[in-house]
Amino acid sequence: MKPAPRRWQVSDAAPLIGQPPLLGRILAARGHDAASAATFLDSAAPFHDPRGLRGMAAAVDVVRASIASGERIAVYGDYDADGVTACALLSRALRRAGVDTVAYIPNRMSEGYGLHGAALAELHAQGVRCVITVDCGTSSVDVAAARPAGMRLVVTDHHLPLAPDGTPPALAPADALINPKQPGCDYAFDGLAGAGVAWKLLAALEAAGLVPEGSAEEALPLAALGTVADMMPLRGENRLIVQRGLPGLRNHAGIRALCQAAGLPADLRAADIGFGLGPRINAAGRMEDARLALELCLCDDEDEAFVLAARLDTQNRERQAAVAVAVAEAETMVAELAEDAPAIVLGSPDWPMGIVGLVAGRLAERYARPSFIVCLDPNEAKGSARSVEGVHIVEALDGAASTLLRYGGHRVAAGFSLEARRFDEFAKAVSAAVATQLGDAPRERVVAVDGEIAAADCVPTTCEVLDLLEPCGQGNAAPLLAVRDCRVLSTSTFGASSQHLRVALGDDTGIFEGIAFFKP
């Protein structure tokens, strides 16, 4: 199998009236009409009332009762950047309210995702009588039902995997459950990250007078970080969270130190989270233990933050090296696959469990086929899947359910586990399920171009117009524009090892410079 060919899809949409011509063309290309464009660009729009979330009133009552009783509360998160930031923002606010608060993150390697009975028992032994989950817990039915007697449980989450027959799963029997995707919740926006849902709970606790005034505002930067790092669509309330949270990220001692370690600019953008901060926070959970990242997000001491940030940066470098080795090995294996293979299904005992999702994502993007990458641990093989347009990855796993021990996720990404001896059986079953969904869809990478401009348009004022689209990321990609019929006027390389390319280009309207990184 060779890398999928690219197909450039250039929009010819007419610009929306009432907007600058270029901005109007981009917004029209992305399906906006005049009304939705105005809403999208309204940075002063109010946040939705958190009390509109189903279960919010009950959650506030549970937390109020625990605080009134002087109980120790645990905030139970997840080991990715979304779960870590959600855990940190809620824990920080509760501690500042004088609440005895334990911040808990499970270990990816030894515990795995979700709510665990052993962890609840240990927390109970430490005197915890109320647990608030963030970014997990909705489907932990058995664990929630068997929790220690007298332990209150509030679940905040944004995952709601469907059962194979398309029906919602049973919900954890918690004292309160907040999930914008749960049946019966008519909240105005269901695309919140786990950190976004935790932030809405914090806003409700502030409105109820249970945490200090200004707590939600102070926590907004961490909510923004979690939202971008978890690749949530930057529209609706997510866009507002990121837009308003970004400017305050450097006010946080831990994040400021991490920005310095990552070499990020003073004026942070969403892309700086996606490519700089998020990977370093995620690296802790992938390579060792996410509690290191949690310590950074809870830290207010400059010296301690500097040390923690340096350790996270080192782990990120180790993660990058491990991914590079695994991708190179996987590429060799992909080369042996047939051109018409419906899916990429690969496994190796040498690939660390914490990086298989990253490898799957690289291969899915490069080859335009759903990718299932497995760490073939002889005790329990664990894998991650990443999808492409036209394939619901969880439905594909449904087709191989008989070979799996467990699985879950959403349309474009999922995790699963199986017995290593059944890997070949799984590969055959999941490939057949993918083939059914794909039909005769061509294997290609479609590159959506928002519109055409001329060389004369490549000026600072154009950049100022494009900045109105920020924050850009998942669901609101950075604008991609095309200049046709250019002439190459000169080329040169730069970088420590001349790894980057600089090109001077021109057409009949003017000259501009382009840069291609890692394209010598």
Side-chain angles (χ1 to χ4, degrees):
M1 181 183 288
K2 297 177 181 178
R6 288 186 176 89
R7 177 166 65 86
W8 300 92
Q9 185 173 287
V10 183
S11 171
D12 59 357
L16 297 177
I17 297 173
Q19 300 291 346
L22 178 57
L23 183 63
R25 269 188 285 158
I26 295 171
L27 291 168
R30 298 182 176 192
H32 286 286
D33 58 22
S36 67
T39 299
F40 177 78
L41 296 172
D42 183 9
S43 60
F47 288 111
H48 303 305
D49 188 337
R51 292 171 295 185
L53 281 158
R54 181 181 177 87
M56 184 62 79
V60 171
D61 286 343
V62 170
V63 175
R64 179 186 287 111
S66 289
I67 292 175
S69 299
E71 295 176 348
R72 172 174 283 187
I73 295 177
V75 182
Y76 188 116
D78 183 28
Y79 44 68
D80 68 359
D82 188 20
V84 167
T85 53
C87 183
L89 71 86
L90 202 52
S91 298
R92 290 171 65 91
L94 288 170
R95 287 175 178 177
R96 291 185 178 181
V99 179
D100 183 4
T101 306
V102 177
Y104 185 88
I105 299 286
N107 184 283
R108 180 195 291 263
M109 313 303 175
S110 61
E111 295 178 89
Y113 172 78
L115 200 58
H116 301 283
L120 294 183
E122 175 61 25
L123 289 169
H124 189 267
Q126 295 174 15
V128 170
R129 292 299 178 266
C130 177
V131 172
I132 305 171
T133 76
V134 291
D135 197 32
C136 65
T138 296
S139 301
S140 301
V141 178
D142 294 339
V143 174
R147 66 186 183 272
M151 176 177 277
R152 296 181 172 99
L153 178 63
V154 174
V155 169
T156 76
D157 196 3
H158 69 139
H159 301 98
L160 192 67
L162 296 179
D165 61 359
T167 60
L171 303 180
D175 295 287
L177 190 151
I178 306 168
N179 186 326
K181 294 185 176 72
Q182 68 175 302
C185 183
D186 56 2
Y187 189 68
F189 181 70
D190 70 355
L192 291 167
V197 179
W199 183 76
K200 299 303 292 191
L201 172 59
L202 178 56
L205 294 177
E206 181 180 334
L210 298 176
V211 295
E213 187 176 347
S215 292
E217 182 70 23
E218 182 179 323
L220 201 50
L222 287 176
L225 201 165
T227 298
V228 175
D230 209 42
M231 297 192 297
M232 291 294 100
L234 297 187
R235 56 180 176 80
E237 200 160 36
N238 284 346
R239 179 173 169 81
L240 296 178
I241 288 173
V242 176
Q243 214 170 36
R244 297 176 192 175
L246 268 174
L249 266 172
R250 283 186 177 275
N251 296 335
H252 187 294
I255 304 305
R256 185 164 58 251
L258 195 59
C259 288
Q260 183 177 343
L264 296 179
D267 185 17
L268 292 175
R269 296 196 173 204
D272 295 315
I273 294 178
F275 295 103
L277 298 178
R280 284 168 171 78
I281 291 176
N282 278 324
R286 294 186 187 281
M287 304 306 294
E288 189 176 322
D289 193 324
R291 294 178 194 182
L292 175 63
L294 178 64
E295 288 177 30
L296 181 90
C297 291
L298 292 173
C299 180
D300 290 319
D301 180 86
E302 297 285 345
D303 293 335
E304 181 184 357
F306 181 82
V307 173
L308 293 171
R311 288 176 60 190
L312 284 175
D313 190 57
T314 298
Q315 287 187 345
N316 188 56
R317 294 178 191 277
E318 293 170 352
R319 187 271 307 169
Q320 289 172 325
V323 170
V325 170
V327 167
E329 293 174 353
E331 292 270 12
T332 301
M333 299 163 74
V334 172
E336 302 298 319
L337 298 178
E339 280 292 317
D340 61 351
I344 296 171
V345 190
L346 306 174
S348 169
D350 299 325
W351 296 340
M353 182 183 70
I355 67 167
V356 291
L358 299 174
V359 176
R362 297 273 186 91
L363 297 181
E365 191 281 328
R366 182 169 172 79
Y367 295 94
R369 280 293 179 258
S371 296
F372 303 80
I373 307 301
V374 184
C375 169
L376 290 175
D377 187 303
N379 296 317
E380 182 179 340
K382 296 179 182 179
S384 282
R386 298 294 184 270
S387 196
V388 298
E389 185 69 28
V391 176
H392 193 303
I393 208 72
V394 174
E395 291 181 4
L397 289 171
D398 289 341
S402 63
T403 69
L404 298 173
L405 296 174
R406 60 185 66 83
Y407 65 97
H410 46 82
R411 177 176 291 276
V412 298
F416 56 93
S417 66
L418 68 156
E419 296 176 32
R421 64 180 179 82
R422 302 193 71 180
F423 175 74
D424 290 341
E425 184 183 354
F426 163 73
K428 183 179 295 185
V430 81
S431 293
V434 168
T436 299
Q437 290 193 55
L438 278 175
D440 58 359
R443 193 168 67 84
E444 60 183 10
R445 289 177 282 176
V446 178
V447 182
V449 179
D450 292 299
E452 295 182 38
I453 58 173
D457 297 317
C458 297
V459 292
T461 53
T462 297
C463 296
E464 292 170 6
V465 170
L466 298 180
D467 279 347
L468 296 174
L469 293 166
E470 291 288 342
C472 292
Q474 192 75 14
N476 181 43
L480 182 62
L481 304 170
V483 183
R484 291 189 187 271
D485 301 321
C486 281
R487 298 182 301 276
V488 177
L489 304 177
S490 68
T491 64
S492 61
T493 58
F494 67 100
S497 56
S498 299
Q499 70 271 39
H500 309 310
L501 179 66
R502 180 183 288 109
V503 185
L505 301 164
D507 63 12
D508 294 338
T509 70
I511 297 172
F512 66 100
E513 188 178 86
I515 290 176
F517 293 107
F518 301 103
K519 298 288 184 181

